[in-house]
Amino acid sequence: MTRTRPSRSAVVFAGSLAVGATLAIGGASLALWSDAEHLSGSLAMGYERFAVGAPGADLIPADGGSASFAIDGQDAASTLATDGQWAAAIQVDSLSQGNKGLHYTLTEPDWGEGILGAAAVEIFWVPAPEDCRPGVTPTPPPATVEDHTSTPVPATYTANTEAVSEFWCIQAELDALPGTGEYRNLARVTATDPSDIQVESTDDWNALVGSHLDPAEEPDHAIPFTYSTFRPGDAP
């Protein structure tokens, strides 16, 4: 009896149907996956990592496709109330091995009715963390960044082990706390004395008016970042 051995391409195709697993290594979310779009006999495997945080600090790895940058509300509000300006830099690390690209979006939160809500807040891309400072003018971002979205990893094959780091800047300016200012009142009184002479008297007073907003009551804020991967030929 003659036995027929399955072809090598068929074996590769069958093996490529294996489903990847999600691993947690060293605090990073590593997604192991396989790609078998083409029956070329090759199997592309790799992992992805996405993390957000303050530059120079431990970044928070994404959980379920998203990560957040936390803002100490009291600290930011206190600086704004004192200096009229405040800024903070954000680092975003992206890594996607194999031939899957990575795309992410940040969403500006509702700043509420506190001091940050009364300020003019702007979030923009910066080339490096030191370029994020109060009063800085945003520089034109690279072609991979548009508004609050970025595609730091294209859908071309890569075996890189180093993440792509990008930086964003939160900048806030406050001319004055709502309700603050100076109040002044002037009173003038005229009358006629017994000698039928008109007399006049004036008086004025002023006071500084404080705001009802207190930096100690400013809540913490979070800026969410969501990411996804995409295959060659697909839109991010």
Side-chain angles (χ1 to χ4, degrees), residues 7-155:
S7 66
R8 184 173 181 272
S9 60
V11 173
V12 172
F13 173 72
S16 66
L17 296 179
V19 179
T22 300
L23 309 177
I25 302 177
S29 296
L30 307 180
L32 186 65
W33 48 267
S34 60
D35 186 3
E37 281 190 350
H38 306 289
L39 305 181
S40 61
S42 64
L43 187 67
M45 303 186 68
Y47 65 87
E48 62 196 46
R49 182 177 187 270
F50 185 81
V52 176
D58 291 334
L59 305 188
I60 305 301
D63 181 14
S66 65
S68 294
F69 179 78
I71 298 173
D72 186 324
Q74 293 185 14
D75 179 70
S78 178
T79 301
L80 270 172
T82 303
D83 302 335
Q85 294 180 316
W86 171 81
I90 309 172
Q91 179 173 337
V92 180
D93 280 3
S94 305
L95 177 63
S96 181
Q97 288 186 332
N99 62 352
K100 279 190 175 181
L102 188 146
H103 175 84
Y104 71 85
T105 300
L106 70 89
T107 303
E108 185 170 348
D110 180 357
W111 299 107
E113 300 179 355
I115 292 178
L116 275 169
V121 183
E122 188 177 10
I123 305 176
F124 50 89
W125 175 93
V126 288
E130 56 268 23
D131 294 311
C132 178
R133 56 188 182 275
V136 70
T137 301
T139 57
T144 55
V145 175
E146 182 178 356
D147 195 19
H148 288 163
T149 66
S150 177
T151 307
V153 183

Side-chain angles (χ1 to χ4, degrees), residues 77 80 84 110-121 172-179 211-213 218 221:
L80 270 172
D110 180 357
W111 299 107
E113 300 179 355
I115 292 178
L116 275 169
V121 183
E173 294 186 0
L174 182 68
D175 292 335
L177 288 174
S211 174
H212 66 283
L213 298 179
E218 182 76 24
H221 301 276

